[in-house]
Structure formats: structure tokens, C-alpha cells
Amino acid sequence: MIAGILLLFLGIARRVHPAYWSYAAVSVLFDLSWSTLEGVPRYLSVSFYVVLASLAERAKWTYEPLLALSSALLALCTVAFANAYQMT
């Protein structure tokens, strides 16, 4: 998990404004300061979407596939939420 976080921050640090990666770093450090790691995917998802947005900005051909992927994930999470599935 730590390797994934570091790779994600390296991807963010090279591609986006320092305000965005500092927000991502503070949000992950805030979550890691608690005793459980159940909420880490929520905070990492924000950083992950910042990296995807920067990828779509640089390579215009990736916009439509990323939009389809995000829409499919939104539909999946909406169905899971409607069925009272607990997502951490």
C-alpha cells in the first residue's frame, strides 16, 4: 500500500500544480494518522482522479475511455450504495 501511495504521489508531483498534490498528501496523511486504514481508498481515489484528469489533459485521445471508465464506476458504486453495500 505504501508503494502504491508513493507511486501515486510521484505521478501527481510531476503532472499537476503543487496545490493539488499538497492537498492529496495532507488528506492521505490525515487518514493514515488514525488507527484503522479503512478510509484510505476514499482519500486515494481523489488523488487517483487528479492523475487521470492530468492524463486526459495531456493526451486528448484518453478522454473518452476515461470518461467511460468513470461513468461505469459511478454506476457500479450507485448500485452498490442503493443495495446498502458498505464501501470503505
Side-chain angles (χ1 to χ4, degrees):
M1 183 169 60
I2 292 173
I5 291 171
L6 289 176
L7 287 173
L8 186 63
F9 283 135
L10 289 176
I12 289 174
R14 295 185 60 210
R15 290 185 169 86
V16 297
H17 194 270
Y20 293 122
W21 63 262
S22 62
Y23 167 76
V26 168
S27 66
V28 169
L29 287 175
F30 176 77
D31 188 53
L32 290 177
S33 67
W34 300 100
S35 62
T36 63
L37 298 177
E38 292 178 1
V40 171
R42 275 189 302 241
Y43 293 103
L44 283 181
S45 66
V46 173
S47 306
F48 179 70
Y49 282 116
V50 168
V51 171
L52 287 181
S54 67
L55 177 65
E57 178 78 22
R58 291 179 187 258
K60 299 295 183 186
W61 63 272
T62 61
Y63 177 75
E64 285 84 12
L66 290 175
L67 180 64
L69 176 69
S70 295
S71 299
L73 285 174
L74 174 64
L76 176 69
C77 290
T78 302
V79 169
F81 176 76
N83 290 318
Y85 182 73
Q86 295 295 321
M87 298 179 71
T88 58

Coordinates of all heavy atoms in Angstrom, one line a residue:
M1 N 0.8 -1.2 0.0 CA 0.0 0.0 0.0 C 0.9 1.3 0.0 O 0.6 2.2 -0.7 CB -0.9 0.0 1.2 CG -1.9 1.1 1.3 SD -3.1 1.0 2.5 CE -2.3 0.9 4.0
I2 N 2.0 1.2 0.7 CA 2.9 2.4 0.8 C 3.5 2.6 -0.6 O 3.6 3.7 -1.0 CB 3.9 2.2 1.9 CG1 3.3 2.2 3.2 CG2 5.0 3.2 1.8 CD1 4.2 1.9 4.4
A3 N 3.9 1.5 -1.3 CA 4.4 1.7 -2.6 C 3.4 2.3 -3.6 O 3.8 3.2 -4.4 CB 4.9 0.3 -3.1
G4 N 2.2 1.9 -3.5 CA 1.1 2.5 -4.3 C 0.9 4.0 -4.0 O 0.8 4.8 -4.9
I5 N 1.0 4.3 -2.8 CA 0.8 5.7 -2.4 C 2.0 6.5 -2.9 O 1.8 7.6 -3.5 CB 0.7 5.9 -0.9 CG1 -0.6 5.3 -0.4 CG2 0.8 7.3 -0.4 CD1 -0.7 5.2 1.1
L6 N 3.2 6.0 -2.8 CA 4.4 6.7 -3.3 C 4.4 6.9 -4.8 O 4.7 8.0 -5.3 CB 5.7 6.0 -2.8 CG 6.0 6.1 -1.3 CD1 7.2 5.3 -1.0 CD2 6.2 7.6 -0.9
L7 N 4.0 5.8 -5.5 CA 3.9 6.0 -7.0 C 2.8 7.0 -7.4 O 3.0 7.7 -8.3 CB 3.6 4.6 -7.6 CG 4.8 3.6 -7.6 CD1 4.3 2.2 -8.1 CD2 5.9 4.1 -8.4
L8 N 1.7 7.0 -6.7 CA 0.7 7.9 -7.0 C 1.1 9.3 -6.7 O 0.9 10.2 -7.6 CB -0.6 7.6 -6.1 CG -1.8 8.4 -6.4 CD1 -2.3 8.1 -7.8 CD2 -2.9 8.0 -5.4
F9 N 1.8 9.6 -5.6 CA 2.3 10.9 -5.4 C 3.4 11.4 -6.4 O 3.5 12.5 -6.7 CB 2.8 11.1 -3.9 CG 1.7 11.2 -3.0 CD1 1.7 10.5 -1.8 CD2 0.6 12.0 -3.2 CE1 0.6 10.6 -0.9 CE2 -0.5 12.1 -2.4 CZ -0.4 11.4 -1.2
L10 N 4.2 10.4 -6.8 CA 5.2 10.8 -7.8 C 4.5 11.2 -9.1 O 5.0 12.1 -9.8 CB 6.2 9.6 -8.0 CG 7.2 9.4 -6.9 CD1 8.0 8.1 -7.2 CD2 8.0 10.6 -6.7
G11 N 3.5 10.4 -9.5 CA 2.7 10.8 -10.7 C 2.0 12.1 -10.5 O 2.0 12.9 -11.5
I12 N 1.5 12.4 -9.3 CA 0.9 13.7 -9.1 C 1.9 14.9 -9.1 O 1.7 15.9 -9.7 CB 0.1 13.7 -7.8 CG1 -1.1 12.8 -7.9 CG2 -0.3 15.1 -7.4 CD1 -1.8 12.6 -6.6
A13 N 3.0 14.7 -8.5 CA 4.0 15.7 -8.3 C 4.6 16.2 -9.7 O 4.9 17.3 -9.8 CB 5.1 15.3 -7.4
R14 N 4.6 15.3 -10.6 CA 5.2 15.6 -11.9 C 4.2 16.3 -12.8 O 4.6 16.9 -13.8 CB 5.8 14.4 -12.6 CG 7.0 13.8 -11.8 CD 7.6 12.6 -12.5 NE 8.1 13.1 -13.8 CZ 8.2 12.3 -14.8 NH1 7.8 11.1 -14.7 NH2 8.6 12.8 -16.0
R15 N 2.9 16.1 -12.6 CA 2.0 16.5 -13.6 C 1.1 17.7 -13.2 O 0.5 18.3 -14.1 CB 1.1 15.3 -13.9 CG 1.8 14.2 -14.7 CD 0.9 13.1 -15.1 NE 1.5 12.2 -16.0 CZ 2.3 11.2 -15.7 NH1 2.5 11.0 -14.5 NH2 2.8 10.5 -16.6
V16 N 0.9 17.9 -12.0 CA -0.1 18.9 -11.6 C 0.5 20.0 -10.7 O 1.6 19.9 -10.2 CB -1.3 18.3 -10.8 CG1 -2.1 17.3 -11.7 CG2 -0.9 17.6 -9.6
H17 N -0.3 21.0 -10.5 CA 0.1 22.2 -9.7 C 0.4 21.7 -8.2 O -0.3 20.8 -7.7 CB -1.1 23.2 -9.7 CG -0.7 24.5 -9.1 ND1 -0.8 24.8 -7.8 CD2 -0.2 25.6 -9.8 CE1 -0.4 26.1 -7.6 NE2 0.0 26.5 -8.8
P18 N 1.3 22.3 -7.6 CA 1.7 21.9 -6.2 C 0.5 21.9 -5.2 O 0.5 21.2 -4.2 CB 2.8 22.9 -5.8 CG 3.4 23.3 -7.0 CD 2.3 23.3 -8.1
A19 N -0.5 22.8 -5.4 CA -1.6 22.9 -4.5 C -2.4 21.5 -4.5 O -2.9 21.1 -3.5 CB -2.5 24.0 -4.9
Y20 N -2.5 20.9 -5.7 CA -3.2 19.7 -5.8 C -2.5 18.5 -5.1 O -3.1 17.7 -4.4 CB -3.5 19.3 -7.3 CG -4.5 20.2 -7.9 CD1 -4.1 20.9 -9.1 CD2 -5.7 20.5 -7.4 CE1 -4.9 21.8 -9.7 CE2 -6.6 21.3 -8.0 CZ -6.2 22.0 -9.2 OH -7.0 22.9 -9.8
W21 N -1.2 18.4 -5.3 CA -0.5 17.3 -4.7 C -0.3 17.5 -3.2 O -0.3 16.6 -2.4 CB 0.8 16.9 -5.4 CG 1.9 17.9 -5.5 CD1 2.2 18.6 -6.5 CD2 2.9 18.1 -4.5 NE1 3.3 19.4 -6.2 CE2 3.7 19.1 -5.0 CE3 3.1 17.6 -3.2 CZ2 4.8 19.6 -4.3 CZ3 4.2 18.1 -2.5 CH2 5.0 19.1 -3.0
S22 N -0.2 18.8 -2.8 CA -0.2 19.0 -1.3 C -1.5 18.7 -0.7 O -1.5 18.1 0.4 CB 0.2 20.4 -1.0 OG -0.7 21.3 -1.5
Y23 N -2.6 18.9 -1.4 CA -3.9 18.5 -0.8 C -4.0 17.0 -0.7 O -4.5 16.5 0.3 CB -5.1 19.0 -1.7 CG -6.4 18.4 -1.4 CD1 -7.1 18.8 -0.3 CD2 -6.9 17.4 -2.2 CE1 -8.3 18.2 0.0 CE2 -8.1 16.8 -1.9 CZ -8.8 17.2 -0.8 OH -10.0 16.6 -0.6
A24 N -3.5 16.3 -1.8 CA -3.6 14.9 -1.7 C -2.7 14.3 -0.6 O -3.1 13.4 0.1 CB -3.1 14.3 -3.1
A25 N -1.5 14.9 -0.4 CA -0.6 14.4 0.6 C -1.2 14.7 2.0 O -1.2 13.8 2.9 CB 0.7 15.1 0.5
V26 N -1.8 15.8 2.2 CA -2.4 16.1 3.5 C -3.6 15.2 3.8 O -3.8 14.7 4.9 CB -2.8 17.6 3.6 CG1 -3.6 17.9 4.8 CG2 -1.5 18.5 3.7
S27 N -4.4 15.0 2.8 CA -5.6 14.1 3.0 C -5.2 12.7 3.3 O -5.8 12.0 4.2 CB -6.5 14.1 1.8 OG -5.9 13.6 0.7
V28 N -4.1 12.2 2.7 CA -3.7 10.8 2.9 C -3.0 10.7 4.3 O -3.2 9.8 5.1 CB -2.7 10.3 1.8 CG1 -2.0 9.0 2.2 CG2 -3.5 10.1 0.6
L29 N -2.2 11.7 4.6 CA -1.5 11.7 6.0 C -2.6 11.9 7.1 O -2.4 11.3 8.1 CB -0.5 12.9 6.1 CG 0.8 12.7 5.3 CD1 1.6 13.9 5.3 CD2 1.5 11.5 5.8
F30 N -3.6 12.6 6.8 CA -4.7 12.7 7.8 C -5.3 11.4 8.1 O -5.6 11.0 9.2 CB -5.7 13.7 7.3 CG -6.9 13.8 8.2 CD1 -6.9 14.5 9.4 CD2 -8.1 13.2 7.9 CE1 -8.0 14.6 10.3 CE2 -9.2 13.3 8.7 CZ -9.1 14.0 9.9
D31 N -5.6 10.7 7.0 CA -6.2 9.3 7.1 C -5.3 8.3 7.8 O -5.7 7.5 8.6 CB -6.7 8.8 5.8 CG -7.5 7.6 6.0 OD1 -8.5 7.6 6.8 OD2 -7.2 6.6 5.3
L32 N -4.0 8.4 7.4 CA -3.0 7.4 8.0 C -2.7 7.7 9.5 O -2.2 6.9 10.1 CB -1.7 7.5 7.2 CG -1.8 6.9 5.8 CD1 -0.5 7.0 5.1 CD2 -2.2 5.4 5.8
S33 N -3.1 8.9 10.0 CA -2.8 9.2 11.4 C -3.8 8.5 12.3 O -3.6 8.5 13.5 CB -2.9 10.7 11.6 OG -4.2 11.2 11.4
W34 N -4.9 7.9 11.8 CA -5.9 7.2 12.6 C -5.4 5.8 12.7 O -4.6 5.3 12.0 CB -7.3 7.3 12.0 CG -7.7 8.7 11.9 CD1 -7.7 9.5 10.8 CD2 -8.2 9.5 13.0 NE1 -8.2 10.7 11.1 CE2 -8.5 10.8 12.4 CE3 -8.4 9.3 14.3 CZ2 -9.0 11.8 13.2 CZ3 -8.9 10.4 15.1 CH2 -9.1 11.6 14.5
S35 N -6.1 5.0 13.6 CA -5.6 3.7 13.9 C -6.0 2.7 12.8 O -5.4 1.6 12.6 CB -6.2 3.2 15.2 OG -7.6 3.2 15.2
T36 N -7.1 2.9 12.1 CA -7.6 2.0 11.1 C -7.3 2.5 9.7 O -7.2 3.7 9.5 CB -9.1 1.7 11.2 OG1 -9.8 2.9 10.9 CG2 -9.4 1.1 12.5
L37 N -7.1 1.6 8.7 CA -6.9 2.1 7.4 C -8.1 1.8 6.4 O -7.9 1.7 5.2 CB -5.7 1.3 6.8 CG -4.3 1.5 7.6 CD1 -3.3 0.7 7.0 CD2 -3.9 3.0 7.5
E38 N -9.3 1.8 7.0 CA -10.4 1.5 6.2 C -10.8 2.7 5.2 O -11.3 2.4 4.2 CB -11.6 1.3 7.1 CG -11.5 0.0 7.9 CD -12.7 -0.2 8.8 OE1 -13.6 0.7 8.8 OE2 -12.7 -1.2 9.5
G39 N -10.4 3.9 5.6 CA -10.8 5.0 4.7 C -9.8 5.4 3.7 O -10.0 6.3 2.9
V40 N -8.6 4.7 3.6 CA -7.6 5.0 2.7 C -8.1 5.0 1.2 O -7.7 6.0 0.5 CB -6.4 4.1 2.9 CG1 -5.3 4.3 1.8 CG2 -5.7 4.4 4.2
P41 N -8.9 4.1 0.8 CA -9.3 4.1 -0.6 C -10.1 5.4 -1.0 O -10.0 5.9 -2.1 CB -10.2 2.9 -0.8 CG -9.7 1.9 0.2 CD -9.2 2.8 1.4
R42 N -10.8 5.9 0.0 CA -11.6 7.1 -0.3 C -10.7 8.3 -0.6 O -10.9 9.1 -1.5 CB -12.5 7.5 0.9 CG -13.8 6.8 0.9 CD -14.6 7.4 2.0 NE -13.9 7.3 3.3 CZ -14.4 6.6 4.3 NH1 -15.5 6.0 4.3 NH2 -13.7 6.5 5.4
Y43 N -9.6 8.4 0.2 CA -8.7 9.5 0.1 C -7.8 9.3 -1.1 O -7.4 10.3 -1.8 CB -7.9 9.7 1.3 CG -8.7 10.2 2.5 CD1 -9.1 9.4 3.5 CD2 -9.2 11.5 2.5 CE1 -9.9 9.8 4.5 CE2 -10.0 12.0 3.6 CZ -10.3 11.1 4.6 OH -11.1 11.5 5.6
L44 N -7.4 8.1 -1.4 CA -6.6 7.8 -2.6 C -7.3 8.0 -3.9 O -6.7 8.3 -4.9 CB -6.0 6.4 -2.5 CG -4.8 6.3 -1.5 CD1 -4.3 4.9 -1.6 CD2 -3.7 7.3 -1.8
S45 N -8.6 7.8 -3.8 CA -9.4 7.9 -5.1 C -9.4 9.4 -5.6 O -9.4 9.6 -6.8 CB -10.8 7.4 -4.9 OG -11.5 8.3 -4.0
V46 N -9.4 10.3 -4.7 CA -9.3 11.7 -5.1 C -8.0 12.0 -5.8 O -7.9 12.6 -6.9 CB -9.4 12.7 -3.9 CG1 -9.2 14.1 -4.3 CG2 -10.8 12.5 -3.3
S47 N -6.9 11.5 -5.2 CA -5.6 11.6 -5.9 C -5.5 10.9 -7.2 O -4.9 11.4 -8.2 CB -4.5 11.1 -4.9 OG -4.6 11.7 -3.7
F48 N -6.1 9.7 -7.3 CA -6.1 8.9 -8.5 C -6.9 9.7 -9.6 O -6.4 9.7 -10.7 CB -6.8 7.6 -8.2 CG -6.9 6.7 -9.4 CD1 -5.8 6.1 -9.9 CD2 -8.2 6.4 -9.9 CE1 -5.9 5.3 -11.0 CE2 -8.3 5.6 -11.0 CZ -7.1 5.0 -11.6
Y49 N -8.0 10.3 -9.3 CA -8.7 11.1 -10.3 C -8.0 12.3 -10.7 O -8.1 12.8 -11.9 CB -10.1 11.4 -9.8 CG -11.0 10.2 -10.0 CD1 -11.6 9.6 -8.9 CD2 -11.3 9.6 -11.2 CE1 -12.4 8.4 -9.0 CE2 -12.1 8.5 -11.4 CZ -12.6 7.9 -10.2 OH -13.4 6.8 -10.4
V50 N -7.2 12.9 -9.9 CA -6.4 14.0 -10.3 C -5.3 13.6 -11.3 O -5.1 14.3 -12.3 CB -5.7 14.7 -9.0 CG1 -4.6 15.7 -9.4 CG2 -6.7 15.4 -8.2
V51 N -4.7 12.4 -11.1 CA -3.7 11.9 -12.0 C -4.4 11.6 -13.3 O -3.9 11.9 -14.4 CB -3.0 10.7 -11.5 CG1 -2.2 10.0 -12.5 CG2 -2.2 11.1 -10.3
L52 N -5.6 11.0 -13.3 CA -6.3 10.7 -14.5 C -6.7 11.9 -15.3 O -6.7 11.9 -16.5 CB -7.6 9.8 -14.2 CG -7.4 8.4 -13.8 CD1 -8.7 7.7 -13.6 CD2 -6.6 7.6 -14.9
A53 N -7.1 12.9 -14.6 CA -7.5 14.2 -15.2 C -6.3 14.8 -15.9 O -6.4 15.4 -17.0 CB -8.1 15.2 -14.2
S54 N -5.1 14.8 -15.3 CA -4.0 15.3 -15.9 C -3.5 14.5 -17.1 O -3.1 15.0 -18.1 CB -2.8 15.4 -14.9 OG -2.4 14.1 -14.5
L55 N -3.8 13.2 -17.1 CA -3.5 12.3 -18.2 C -4.4 12.7 -19.4 O -4.0 12.8 -20.5 CB -3.7 10.9 -17.8 CG -3.5 9.9 -19.0 CD1 -2.1 9.9 -19.5 CD2 -3.8 8.5 -18.5
A56 N -5.7 12.9 -19.1 CA -6.7 13.3 -20.1 C -6.4 14.6 -20.7 O -6.7 14.9 -21.8 CB -8.1 13.2 -19.6
E57 N -5.8 15.5 -19.9 CA -5.4 16.8 -20.3 C -4.2 16.8 -21.3 O -4.2 17.5 -22.3 CB -5.1 17.7 -19.1 CG -4.6 19.1 -19.5 CD -5.8 20.0 -19.8 OE1 -6.9 19.7 -19.4 OE2 -5.6 21.0 -20.5
R58 N -3.3 15.9 -21.0 CA -2.1 15.9 -21.9 C -2.3 15.0 -23.1 O -1.9 15.4 -24.2 CB -0.9 15.3 -21.1 CG -0.4 16.2 -20.0 CD 0.7 15.5 -19.3 NE 1.1 16.4 -18.1 CZ 2.2 17.1 -18.1 NH1 2.9 17.2 -19.2 NH2 2.5 17.8 -17.1
A59 N -3.0 13.9 -23.0 CA -3.2 13.0 -24.2 C -4.7 13.1 -24.4 O -5.5 12.4 -23.8 CB -2.7 11.6 -23.9
K60 N -5.1 13.8 -25.4 CA -6.5 14.1 -25.7 C -7.3 12.8 -26.1 O -8.5 12.7 -25.9 CB -6.7 15.1 -26.8 CG -6.1 16.4 -26.5 CD -6.8 17.1 -25.3 CE -6.3 18.5 -25.1 NZ -6.8 19.1 -23.9
W61 N -6.6 11.8 -26.6 CA -7.3 10.5 -27.0 C -7.7 9.7 -25.9 O -8.5 8.8 -26.0 CB -6.4 9.7 -28.0 CG -5.1 9.2 -27.3 CD1 -3.9 9.9 -27.2 CD2 -5.0 8.0 -26.6 NE1 -3.0 9.1 -26.5 CE2 -3.6 8.0 -26.1 CE3 -5.8 6.9 -26.3 CZ2 -3.2 6.9 -25.4 CZ3 -5.3 5.9 -25.6 CH2 -4.0 5.9 -25.1
T62 N -7.2 10.0 -24.6 CA -7.6 9.2 -23.5 C -8.9 9.7 -22.8 O -9.4 9.1 -21.9 CB -6.5 9.2 -22.4 OG1 -6.2 10.5 -22.0 CG2 -5.2 8.6 -23.0
Y63 N -9.4 10.9 -23.3 CA -10.6 11.5 -22.6 C -11.8 10.6 -22.6 O -12.4 10.3 -21.6 CB -10.9 12.8 -23.2 CG -12.1 13.5 -22.6 CD1 -12.0 14.1 -21.4 CD2 -13.3 13.5 -23.3 CE1 -13.2 14.6 -20.8 CE2 -14.4 14.0 -22.8 CZ -14.3 14.6 -21.5 OH -15.5 15.2 -21.0
E64 N -12.1 10.1 -23.8 CA -13.4 9.3 -23.9 C -13.3 7.9 -23.2 O -14.2 7.5 -22.5 CB -13.7 9.0 -25.4 CG -14.3 10.2 -26.1 CD -13.3 11.2 -26.6 OE1 -12.1 10.8 -26.7 OE2 -13.6 12.3 -27.0
P65 N -12.1 7.2 -23.3 CA -12.1 6.0 -22.5 C -12.1 6.2 -21.0 O -12.7 5.5 -20.2 CB -10.7 5.3 -22.9 CG -10.4 5.9 -24.2 CD -11.0 7.3 -24.2
L66 N -11.5 7.3 -20.5 CA -11.5 7.6 -19.1 C -12.9 8.0 -18.7 O -13.4 7.7 -17.6 CB -10.5 8.7 -18.8 CG -9.0 8.3 -18.8 CD1 -8.1 9.4 -18.6 CD2 -8.8 7.2 -17.8
L67 N -13.6 8.7 -19.5 CA -15.0 9.1 -19.2 C -15.9 7.9 -19.1 O -16.7 7.8 -18.2 CB -15.5 10.1 -20.3 CG -16.9 10.6 -20.2 CD1 -17.1 11.4 -18.9 CD2 -17.4 11.4 -21.4
A68 N -15.7 6.9 -20.0 CA -16.5 5.7 -20.0 C -16.2 4.9 -18.7 O -17.1 4.4 -18.1 CB -16.2 4.9 -21.2
L69 N -14.9 4.8 -18.4 CA -14.5 4.1 -17.2 C -15.1 4.8 -15.9 O -15.6 4.1 -15.0 CB -13.0 4.1 -17.1 CG -12.4 3.5 -15.8 CD1 -12.7 2.0 -15.7 CD2 -10.9 3.7 -15.7
S70 N -15.0 6.1 -15.8 CA -15.6 6.8 -14.7 C -17.1 6.7 -14.6 O -17.6 6.5 -13.5 CB -15.2 8.3 -14.8 OG -13.8 8.5 -14.7
S71 N -17.7 6.7 -15.7 CA -19.2 6.5 -15.8 C -19.6 5.1 -15.3 O -20.6 4.9 -14.5 CB -19.8 6.8 -17.1 OG -19.5 8.1 -17.5
A72 N -18.8 4.1 -15.7 CA -19.1 2.7 -15.3 C -18.9 2.6 -13.8 O -19.7 1.9 -13.1 CB -18.2 1.8 -16.1
L73 N -17.8 3.2 -13.3 CA -17.5 3.1 -11.9 C -18.6 3.8 -11.1 O -19.0 3.4 -10.0 CB -16.1 3.6 -11.5 CG -15.0 2.7 -11.9 CD1 -13.7 3.5 -11.7 CD2 -15.0 1.4 -11.2
L74 N -19.1 4.9 -11.6 CA -20.2 5.6 -10.9 C -21.4 4.8 -10.9 O -22.1 4.7 -9.8 CB -20.4 7.0 -11.6 CG -21.6 7.8 -11.1 CD1 -21.4 8.2 -9.6 CD2 -21.9 8.9 -12.0
A75 N -21.8 4.1 -12.0 CA -22.9 3.3 -12.0 C -22.8 2.1 -11.0 O -23.7 1.8 -10.3 CB -23.2 2.8 -13.4
L76 N -21.6 1.5 -11.0 CA -21.4 0.4 -10.1 C -21.5 0.9 -8.6 O -22.1 0.2 -7.8 CB -20.0 -0.2 -10.3 CG -19.5 -1.3 -9.4 CD1 -20.4 -2.6 -9.6 CD2 -18.1 -1.6 -9.6
C77 N -20.9 2.0 -8.3 CA -21.0 2.5 -6.9 C -22.4 2.9 -6.5 O -22.8 2.7 -5.4 CB -20.0 3.6 -6.7 SG -18.3 3.1 -6.8
T78 N -23.1 3.4 -7.5 CA -24.5 3.8 -7.2 C -25.4 2.6 -6.9 O -26.2 2.6 -6.0 CB -25.1 4.6 -8.4 OG1 -24.3 5.8 -8.6 CG2 -26.5 5.1 -8.1
V79 N -25.2 1.6 -7.7 CA -26.0 0.3 -7.5 C -25.6 -0.3 -6.1 O -26.4 -0.7 -5.4 CB -25.8 -0.7 -8.6 CG1 -26.3 -2.1 -8.3 CG2 -26.4 -0.2 -9.9
A80 N -24.3 -0.3 -5.8 CA -23.8 -0.8 -4.5 C -24.4 0.0 -3.4 O -24.8 -0.6 -2.3 CB -22.3 -0.8 -4.5
F81 N -24.4 1.3 -3.5 CA -25.0 2.2 -2.4 C -26.5 1.9 -2.3 O -27.0 1.9 -1.2 CB -24.7 3.6 -2.7 CG -25.3 4.6 -1.8 CD1 -24.7 4.7 -0.5 CD2 -26.4 5.3 -2.0 CE1 -25.3 5.6 0.4 CE2 -27.0 6.1 -1.1 CZ -26.4 6.3 0.1
A82 N -27.2 1.8 -3.4 CA -28.6 1.6 -3.3 C -29.0 0.2 -2.7 O -30.1 0.1 -2.1 CB -29.2 1.6 -4.7
N83 N -28.1 -0.7 -2.8 CA -28.3 -2.0 -2.2 C -27.7 -2.1 -0.8 O -27.5 -3.2 -0.2 CB -27.7 -3.1 -3.0 CG -28.6 -3.3 -4.3 OD1 -29.8 -3.3 -4.2 ND2 -27.9 -3.5 -5.4
A84 N -27.3 -1.0 -0.2 CA -26.8 -0.9 1.2 C -25.5 -1.6 1.4 O -25.2 -2.1 2.4 CB -27.8 -1.4 2.2
Y85 N -24.7 -1.7 0.3 CA -23.4 -2.3 0.4 C -22.4 -1.2 1.0 O -22.4 -0.1 0.6 CB -22.9 -2.7 -1.0 CG -21.5 -3.3 -1.0 CD1 -21.3 -4.6 -0.5 CD2 -20.4 -2.6 -1.4 CE1 -20.1 -5.2 -0.5 CE2 -19.1 -3.2 -1.4 CZ -19.0 -4.5 -0.9 OH -17.8 -5.1 -0.9
Q86 N -21.7 -1.6 2.0 CA -20.8 -0.7 2.7 C -19.5 -0.6 2.0 O -18.7 -1.6 1.9 CB -20.6 -1.2 4.2 CG -21.8 -1.1 5.0 CD -22.3 0.3 5.2 OE1 -21.5 1.2 5.4 NE2 -23.6 0.5 5.2
M87 N -19.2 0.5 1.4 CA -17.9 0.7 0.7 C -17.1 1.6 1.6 O -17.5 2.7 2.0 CB -18.2 1.4 -0.6 CG -19.0 0.5 -1.5 SD -19.3 1.3 -3.1 CE -17.7 1.2 -3.8
T88 N -15.8 1.2 1.8 CA -14.9 2.0 2.7 C -13.9 2.7 1.8 O -13.7 2.4 0.7 CB -14.2 1.1 3.7 OG1 -13.5 0.1 3.0 CG2 -15.2 0.6 4.7

